[in-house]
Amino acid sequence: PEVVRAGEVIVDAIFGTGLTRDVTGLAADCIRAINAASRPVVAVDIPSGLHADSGHVLGCAVRADLTVTFIGRKVGCYLGAGPDHAGKIVFDDLEVPLGAYDGSQPALSLLDESVVQAALPARGRTAHKGRHGHVLVIGGAAGMGGAVHLAATAALRAGAGLVTVAAHPQSLGALVVRPELMSLAVDGASAMERGLERATILALGPGLGQSPWAKEIFDAALAAQKPVVVDADALNLLALNPRKCEHWVLTPHPGEAARLLGVTADDIQRDRLAAAAALQQRYGGVIVLKGAGSIVQVQARAGWLCDRGNPGMAVAGMGDVLTGVIAGIAAQCGDLALAAMAGVFVHACAGDRAATAGERGMLATEVIDQVRDCVNPR
């Protein structure tokens, strides 16, 4: 292990993609020495000690500054602990012919700007607001008006033609600063009927809570049988009474995903790919498993990975923004799977734009400010 400090750069090629057991003995000593050497580290294909399929650390793993990976991207570099160990990722296909990949099924496909272009084509010159959908954001229990305000504003910035907020009467004051939003004071489910009738898509959960009022609103929203993006406490209410639906997008973070599956958050993070597939199988529809390396699970065998975004986005309100962006895009394209893919990519890219001034201290509202540029790709 002392030898690793002899050079100026350390190249890690101890283990490859086949490692499935915990690292022990001399190899573990070498990995710990590499991490303590204060030298730039380049990993070959995947950092040693990282599980190639899940990003789980097998006892210990190299923390690389750069990972150069070949032929196919390794899912483990992007999921679980992978982002903290892989550093910057450079991919080289080694000029392998495309035909060599025929018949192979990738674990995940990488999201890029093409999904935004597919979901949001250029508008015709005769476009009007009625053609771009009506989002109804449902939530905002007393004292929680900020969450629905963030989601609704994000839906507007994503391009929805109309956005209405259905919230507790005590929370509607938060909407005054955004005059483009319409509002419904909801003291019970009956007050939401007209809004449900007019809506193209629902965004259910921001600031909803889990009170008897919240449960009544939650049940009424799902009973409307409208396409719906489900987030926050609506996911926690769903976990209490699981059901399956094909016209929703569920957007859990690892804690919410754990409650939906009856496991722990550590279990989710240990194998995010398997967790996303399990959520889709149990609940149907489209699953967005949030976190570093967000996964969009469309069907049992069709998943998408987002490699954009940054740690500055780990702050209150960011999930509400994502909910609004997905709902706003779905209102325009009418395709929940495509909207989820485009929404996750737009949200992450907006976060990266907002982080140019620094990741620490970034606000959800600053991400919303960047959404408009990201839904108008040049």
Side-chain angles (χ1 to χ4, degrees), residues 234-259:
L235 292 169
N236 294 325
L237 292 174
L238 178 61
L240 296 174
N241 183 20
R243 66 195 80 177
K244 197 169 187 177
C245 175
E246 296 305 327
H247 59 260
W248 62 20
V249 179
L250 307 187
T251 63
H253 58 55
E256 292 159 345
R259 288 187 281 276

Side-chain angles (χ1 to χ4, degrees), residues 15 17 33 41 46 52 78 98 124 128 187 189 192 201 206 211 227 241 254 295 298 330 346 348 356 359 361-362:
F15 294 113
T17 58
V41 178
I46 190 169
Y78 299 91
L98 288 177
H128 59 79
D187 53 9
M192 207 166 53
I201 186 166
S211 67
N241 183 20
I295 295 173
V298 179
V346 163
T356 55
E359 294 175 355
M362 189 165 66

Side-chain angles (χ1 to χ4, degrees), residues 19-349:
L19 186 68
T20 58
R21 58 176 177 79
D22 280 2
V23 180
T24 59
L26 180 59
D29 293 340
C30 288
I31 288 174
R32 285 190 283 267
I34 289 171
N35 291 341
S38 299
R39 301 284 195 279
V41 178
V42 179
V44 178
D45 217 20
I46 190 169
S48 294
L50 202 63
H51 194 289
D53 294 331
S54 68
H56 177 62
V57 173
L58 295 166
C60 59
V62 167
R63 287 183 175 268
D65 299 286
L66 172 68
T67 297
V68 184
T69 193
F70 308 109
I71 300 178
R73 295 176 184 268
K74 312 306 180 291
V75 172
C77 290
Y78 299 91
L79 299 182
D84 283 332
H85 288 264
K88 181 180 179 182
I89 299 170
V90 174
F91 171 66
D92 193 319
D93 63 9
L94 300 184
E95 299 184 359
V96 172
L98 288 177
Y101 299 95
D102 291 347
S104 62
Q105 177 67 39
L108 291 168
S109 300
L110 199 63
L111 291 173
D112 60 26
E113 198 169 85
S114 65
V115 294
V116 183
Q117 295 167 341
L120 300 172
R123 291 182 173 181
R125 306 321 297 169
T126 58
H128 59 79
K129 63 186 179 184
R131 290 184 180 176
H132 305 306
H134 188 164
V135 177
L136 179 64
V137 182
I138 304 169
M144 296 292 289
V148 284
H149 179 269
L150 289 170
T153 304
L156 283 173
R157 286 300 191 189
L162 297 160
V163 181
T164 298
V165 172
H168 193 281
Q170 294 181 29
S171 292
L172 290 179
L175 306 181
V176 174
V177 295
R178 182 57 65 188
E180 298 92 343
L181 295 173
M182 297 176 285
S183 62
L184 284 174
V186 177
D187 53 9
S190 60
M192 207 166 53
E193 290 178 359
R194 179 166 172 73
L196 290 171
E197 290 173 3
R198 297 173 61 195
T200 305
I201 186 166
L202 314 180
L204 175 63
L208 183 65
Q210 299 184 53
S211 67
W213 173 86
K215 293 176 182 177
E216 179 184 355
I217 299 304
F218 172 82
D219 289 338
L222 294 187
Q225 294 294 302
K226 291 287 182 86
V228 55
V229 182
V230 185
D231 187 28
D233 273 320
L235 292 169
N236 294 325
L237 292 174
L238 178 61
L240 296 174
N241 183 20
R243 66 195 80 177
K244 197 169 187 177
C245 175
E246 296 305 327
H247 59 260
W248 62 20
V249 179
L250 307 187
T251 63
H253 58 55
E256 292 159 345
R259 288 187 281 276
L260 288 166
L261 291 176
V263 297
T264 68
D266 285 343
D267 292 330
I268 299 296
Q269 291 297 82
R270 181 179 293 269
D271 195 339
R272 287 172 55 82
L273 184 57
L279 285 164
Q280 203 283 328
Q281 183 176 17
R282 181 174 299 188
Y283 291 94
V286 180
I287 306 298
V288 175
L289 180 56
K290 297 185 291 194
S294 289
I295 295 173
V296 182
Q297 193 73 30
V298 179
Q299 298 167 351
R301 293 183 177 272
W304 295 79
L305 172 73
C306 183
D307 66 343
R308 311 295 177 92
N310 61 83
M313 300 175 74
V315 67
M318 210 63 72
D320 302 316
V321 175
L322 176 61
T323 294
V325 170
I326 294 174
I329 294 175
Q332 296 167 79
C333 74
D335 184 322
L336 286 180
L338 185 57
M341 290 186 282
V344 166
F345 187 78
V346 163
H347 180 253
C349 290

